[in-house]
Amino acid sequence: MGRYIVKRVAVGLVQLIGLTVAVFFLIRLLPADPASRLVGMNPSREAYEQARHQLGLDQPLLTQLGAYLGLSSSGPGLLEGDFGTSWVTSSPVGSEIATYLPVTLELVTISFLIAFLVSVPIGMVGALNPGGRSDKAVFVYGLFAGSQPEFWWGLLFVYVFFFALGWAPAPLGSLSPMTSPPPSVTGFLTIDSLLAGQPDVFVEALQHLVLPVATLVFVLSGPIVKMVRQNMARALRADFVLYANCAGLPPARVARYALRAAMAPSMTLIGILYGFMLGGAVLVENVFSLPGIGQYAVRAVLAYDYPAIQGVVLVITALSLVVYLGIDLIHAAIDPRIVH
Amino acid sequence: MNAIEPASAAQLAPPPVLHVEGLSVSYRTGERVATPIRGLDLTLRAGEIVGLIGETGSGKSTLALALLGLVRSPGRIVSGKLLFGGRDLLAMPPDERRAVRGRDIAIIVQNPRASLNPLLRIGRQIGYVYRSRAHSSAAETRRQTIELLREVGINDPERRVDAYAHELSGGMAQRALIAMALASRPKLLVADEPTSGLDVTIQAQFLDQMWQTVQHSGSAALLIAKEVGIIANYCDRVLVLHEGRIAEDQPVRAFFRAPLHPYSRAVLALQRDGAAKLSGVAMAAGATTRPLISANGLSKHFPVRNSAKVVQAVSDVTLDIWPGETLGLVGESGSGKTTVGRCFVRLTETTAGHIVYHGRDLERLSGSELRQARAKLQIVLQDPFDSLNPRWTVAELLGEPFRIHTKLGRAERRQRAADLLKVVDLEADLLDRRPRGLGAGAMQRLNIARALATKPDFIVLDEPTSVLSPSAIVSLVALLRRIQVEFGVSYLFISHDLTTVRYLCHRVAVMYLGQIVETGAVEQVFARPRHPYARALLSAHLDPDPANRRVDRRSDEQLKGEIPSPIDLPVGCYLASRCPHVLPRCGEQPQNLVPLADGRSVRCWRVATGDLTGDALTGPLV
């Protein structure tokens, strides 16, 4: 098992290096000119050249790559863990990602946990009574939730729960504008507020999370319910479930046999969905003005901020790889037939 | 007088354990309703083993489940009573019914490995069943589970209790299942083809054990079987299921003497006529001095992933096949039969040794020479469904060899395909059909026709009968014989079906763990096998003869345990760990195939030195 993890991490690092190089060249294929963007309208020739020199864009591509990776003498690079400096804000990309990423992680992780806890029992009920009333209701819900984009649901939720009913706080970020955030330790507001001993801030953070989380849960539950139901229905048709009934095992035990068999394949899809949502949550972040990594990525792309784009791609990829590895390990823990 | 009579009648017939009245099971798919069980009555009494036979699809497995009050979705028990100890199982509250299942009625099913939860250790699963009846501590449950596993003959139960289903062989999984079934000493055991897919020596071990369990505990058993050999050897009474009802109910001897129902008569006639029609295969006498094709010192090793070890699938096999001859290759699954067959037509590269065809080493042939040789060396595979492309028509399937090896035009190819159909007794109007919808027997005929297209002189038949029904087997064997006489081809006939080998082959080679342990003329080997493994294999074969039941005679030819892994093979004799005649020397000394005076060869030093003589096996064999 240990050897397997080491091997997977090593392969992951190779993948990341390959991806870095690929992204590096792909960005530079864009018909964009970051220097002119930086110096504004009608710059003097000298100012423009100066900007190009500052950004290193006057160097040959390979020299630029070497500098980015930290292979040249110009300073620390990616290989030493330095993502470089944002061309727009002039602050280190690493620390910027560290402030934006936790917002998204918090949102997506909580949403997944809740979506999972809600969807599994619903899917189970559907599979246990195929064609029953609850099964049909789940089918309609899956169709409904999956067929509209998440920002549409987000806007609808804002309209209903904030504007019409007034139950939820305004969609203006992670905390209300009047509240000062706790000192950043982990970057996760919920954790930092508790660490700082400010339970009122913690509650407020949770309140602000309710609607975005509800939106994501609503959208994510559709596919997860469907998948759990299908896998569970297949597991219930399996011979070993029939035999468990033949042996007179209690219904709860039989249901647990089937659930465990259904969970193993479901985990894989959940892992893929999670990796996808890290970048894909941007629409929901936008609706609720949450300063997440998706927002940061969009801003970086619009500003041709090359180091920031590369940093985001790398971090999200690395996170996805870690999640996939985790899912594979969980899968192996559920299903003894999988040997690494 | 009147008071005594019922008592004596009760002595004659033990009390019924299960009494079924008017049982009907139906399946509804959309608008269509199928009713495989229609108003069935049956009684099972204490201490008897009742055999149940019936055509494929006659609802035997449905009935087995229904006896527990269960039906596969979307089926339903629509009417009837299941009187178990006087109480109707179907009228009980669900909780009580569940308690009866497993505690009083247990079932063993066809596919043991799929019936075990793949995600839980078998000990846990058996423990759950055990604890659902008896409240016991975790430690006590584990102790009981290990005890149960030991009782059903699993070696090393302390270790196996922590195994997962996929780590067990089919035989061991079946034993784990029976341990689960017997966990509560049930009064009724329903066994639905419990040995399908098991090798004959394991089948014999298993059925012997089941027979003993029933005898000792005085419970009743319903044994569903395909082979009448099993019925004859283990059952007291025979039931025939036909059109959803019990069509015949006779004691076993009466059944074999005078079957009443047309289906029973057909099944038994098949065995007897088949034997008469096919016995005495005359080998085409030829003055040839050279074998058509031979294997010399053939070995094939497969690498094991993530390991430097190898699987020794075949080691040092030497075989000659003469023109017009059929050589049978028998042995249990995993003995390397198929690999040998594939090496013969160079579908698999050999690790060591040579295949010599017409005096030339197959491996030294150039590309075009190999292509020519391939036309003459054909193979028919085990699964007729998978070896035919379902999207091609029969004309395309049979025309393909001509497209590869000849320059014939489309119309000529079609004509040749039609000729081939005639050779294998199929109708010419099949030409434009696709193989889907044909029976397994017809598909296997197509495969044989395709193999014949290039006028081969040697065909490897890799278990061609294993998925066929008994009647299809008999007619396929007749076809193979006719083709051999007409075209003079030689066959390498690979099979674990000893009856078929007996009828079709001139010589036979018995394989065990990649080695040939005995080879000789069919009459010699079948009448008086010498190698301990060949003896065990042949004595485990069940004859459809209730007058000479296996359970009534004591056999000392039984093997212990299971076939060892072909990865870590012992130094000495491969059979040493299971052999009933083992001596210390057997484990130390590698065994060679030694020719005996009577023309056969045996790989056992005790036989070669005359130390182990071996009488003819008791009773007539197949």
Side-chain angles (χ1 to χ4, degrees), chain A residues 75-337:
Chain A
L78 188 66
L79 295 181
E80 289 108 317
D82 189 335
F83 287 103
T85 309
S86 164
W87 291 350
V88 178
T89 60
S90 302
S91 51
V93 170
S95 66
E96 284 194 337
I97 290 178
T99 52
Y100 284 96
L101 185 63
V103 176
T104 302
L105 279 183
E106 198 167 39
L107 170 69
V108 173
T109 306
I110 294 177
S111 302
F112 260 88
L113 283 179
I114 296 178
F116 191 74
L117 293 179
V118 170
S119 309
V120 170
I122 296 179
M124 265 180 82
V125 169
L128 285 170
N129 312 297
R133 202 171 299 167
S134 54
D135 193 27
K136 282 183 184 134
V138 164
F139 176 76
V140 171
Y141 163 75
L143 214 63
F144 199 54
S147 60
Q148 266 91 45
E150 53 263 53
F151 69 85
W152 189 86
W153 290 113
L155 289 172
L156 190 75
F157 282 10
V158 169
Y159 175 79
V160 173
F161 295 106
F162 164 65
F163 181 74
L165 298 173
W167 294 351
L172 295 175
S174 315
L175 288 174
S176 101
M178 315 302 286
T179 316
S180 52
S184 177
V185 183
T186 61
F188 296 93
L189 266 183
T190 44
I191 299 175
D192 286 347
S193 59
L194 287 181
L195 287 179
Q198 296 172 304
D200 49 329
V201 180
F202 174 74
V203 170
E204 197 184 318
L206 282 189
Q207 280 171 346
H208 280 80
L209 272 174
V210 167
L211 274 195
V213 164
T215 309
L216 274 185
V217 167
F218 191 73
V219 175
L220 285 173
S221 299
I224 299 180
V225 164
K226 253 189 193 160
M227 181 182 59
V228 170
R229 188 200 169 282
Q230 299 297 33
N231 287 330
M232 182 84 181
R234 191 178 316 139
L236 282 170
R237 283 196 301 271
D239 281 357
F240 68 87
V241 168
L242 182 70
Y243 195 79
N245 276 319
C246 287
L249 288 185
R253 170 76 59 203
V254 178
R256 259 155 70 189
Y257 271 28
L259 180 64
R260 188 163 165 186
M263 264 0 277
S266 305
M267 290 310 295
T268 307
L269 197 113
I270 288 174
I272 292 170
L273 258 182
Y274 186 90
F276 174 74
M277 278 324 273
L278 281 181
V282 61
L283 292 173
V284 174
E285 288 170 9
N286 237 326
V287 170
F288 294 95
S289 317
L290 296 175
I293 194 77
Q295 295 254 48
Y296 180 72
V298 169
R299 216 178 301 156
V301 170
L302 292 180
Y304 307 139
D305 191 350
Y306 291 179
I309 297 174
Q310 274 173 307
V312 169
V313 171
L314 270 184
V315 167
I316 289 191
T317 309
L319 265 176
S320 299
L321 288 177
V322 169
V323 169
Y324 291 171
L325 175 62
I327 292 289
D328 283 350
L329 293 179
I330 293 175
H331 201 160
I334 296 178
D335 191 339
R337 286 168 295 185

Side-chain angles (χ1 to χ4, degrees), chain B residues 141-153:
Chain B
T141 305
R142 188 178 165 86
R143 207 183 55 72
Q144 286 289 348
T145 304
I146 291 173
E147 202 42 52
L148 278 166
L149 289 176
R150 197 191 314 280
E151 268 176 44
V152 295

Side-chain angles (χ1 to χ4, degrees), chain B residues 270-583:
Chain B
L270 213 67
Q271 303 261 338
R272 291 177 192 147
D273 297 356
K277 200 160 59 192
L278 295 168
S279 58
V281 193
M283 182 179 154
T288 44
T289 52
R290 198 170 64 178
L292 174 71
I293 190 166
S294 22
N296 294 326
L298 183 73
S299 292
K300 176 68 189 173
H301 299 170
F302 293 103
V304 179
R305 236 165 55 133
N306 301 329
S307 160
K309 292 179 175 177
V310 292
V311 176
Q312 298 186 23
V314 175
S315 29
D316 192 24
V317 163
T318 298
L319 280 175
D320 289 333
I321 295 165
W322 298 80
E325 181 193 44
T326 305
L327 175 72
L329 194 56
V330 301
E332 294 174 288
S333 49
S335 59
K337 306 185 296 288
T338 294
T339 312
V340 169
R342 292 187 171 207
C343 288
F344 259 105
V345 293
R346 227 188 128 183
L347 275 180
T348 303
E349 300 297 326
T350 56
T351 306
H354 307 281
I355 302 290
V356 179
Y357 170 64
H358 278 310
R360 300 194 58 189
D361 188 342
L362 265 196
E363 257 176 64
R364 298 247 179 85
L365 293 184
S366 68
S368 65
E369 284 173 320
L370 181 66
R371 253 166 70 103
Q372 285 169 18
R374 281 245 160 95
K376 296 288 171 191
L377 306 173
Q378 291 292 316
I379 187 165
V380 173
L381 300 169
Q382 178 170 6
D383 189 333
F385 304 95
D386 283 354
S387 31
L388 294 172
N389 187 336
R391 279 175 286 276
W392 285 14
T393 64
V394 169
E396 285 170 317
L397 287 166
L398 294 182
E400 191 188 23
F402 298 114
R403 228 176 51 213
I404 296 170
H405 291 288
T406 69
K407 293 193 171 71
L408 294 180
R410 180 182 282 269
E412 280 170 300
R413 289 206 302 263
R414 194 177 160 86
Q415 185 51 47
R416 294 289 180 90
D419 294 345
L420 284 173
L421 280 182
K422 207 178 292 168
V423 170
V424 296
D425 297 334
L426 290 174
E427 297 296 322
D429 59 6
L430 282 183
L431 274 180
D432 295 313
R433 300 236 332 247
R434 279 166 231 282
R436 189 179 55 190
L438 293 179
M443 284 207 209
Q444 204 56 292
R445 278 160 193 266
L446 281 182
N447 279 314
I448 291 170
R450 199 154 60 143
L452 287 174
T454 51
K455 296 208 168 19
D457 42 30
F458 175 65
I459 304 180
V460 175
L461 299 160
D462 188 359
E463 309 230 15
T465 58
S466 64
V467 297
L468 305 189
S469 67
S471 58
I473 292 178
V474 170
S475 61
L476 192 83
V477 168
L479 172 73
L480 288 171
R481 278 198 54 210
R482 209 194 70 219
I483 288 170
Q484 184 162 53
V485 172
E486 271 178 41
F487 299 89
V489 287
S490 304
Y491 295 135
L492 176 68
F493 186 76
I494 299 169
S495 183
H496 60 247
D497 177 5
L498 298 176
T499 316
T500 318
V501 170
R502 175 82 171 100
Y503 297 147
L504 186 66
C505 300
H506 303 98
R507 287 191 303 129
V508 64
V510 181
M511 280 191 84
Y512 181 71
L513 274 176
Q515 289 182 329
I516 290 177
V517 293
E518 177 158 353
T519 171
V522 161
E523 297 78 32
Q524 271 181 336
V525 175
F526 274 66
R528 199 159 164 251
R530 300 292 299 275
H531 190 278
Y533 179 72
R535 294 180 67 81
L537 190 70
L538 286 163
S539 84
H541 183 78
L542 299 171
D543 302 319
D545 176 11
N548 180 35
R549 307 206 304 173
R550 182 184 162 84
V551 289
D552 298 332
R553 61 184 139 96
R554 248 189 53 77
S555 171
D556 57 353
E557 300 302 339
Q558 274 236 56
L559 296 180
K560 291 172 282 190
E562 304 227 357
I563 199 162
S565 151
I567 296 175
D568 297 303
L569 284 169
V571 187
C573 175
Y574 290 177
L575 192 66
S577 61
R578 303 173 72 195
C579 184
H581 308 289
V582 67
L583 292 182

Side-chain angles (χ1 to χ4, degrees), chain B residues 45-120:
Chain B
R45 294 175 187 284
E48 67 172 353
I49 299 185
V50 178
L52 178 76
I53 58 172
E55 285 160 87
T56 317
S58 60
K60 301 189 291 289
S61 298
T62 305
L63 174 63
L65 271 182
L67 293 185
L68 281 79
L70 286 169
V71 192
R72 269 184 195 276
S73 167
R76 231 159 47 82
I77 296 180
V78 284
S79 67
K81 281 184 186 160
L82 292 174
L83 295 170
F84 186 80
R87 295 189 60 204
D88 185 1
L89 206 60
L90 297 175
M92 284 180 193
D95 276 356
E96 276 179 54
R97 186 162 59 222
R98 211 185 59 237
V100 171
R101 270 180 219 147
R103 186 187 64 205
D104 297 327
I105 310 179
I107 187 168
I108 305 170
V109 291
Q110 276 184 46
N111 186 351
R113 231 176 306 184
S115 298
L116 291 169
N117 189 335
L119 308 178
L120 292 180

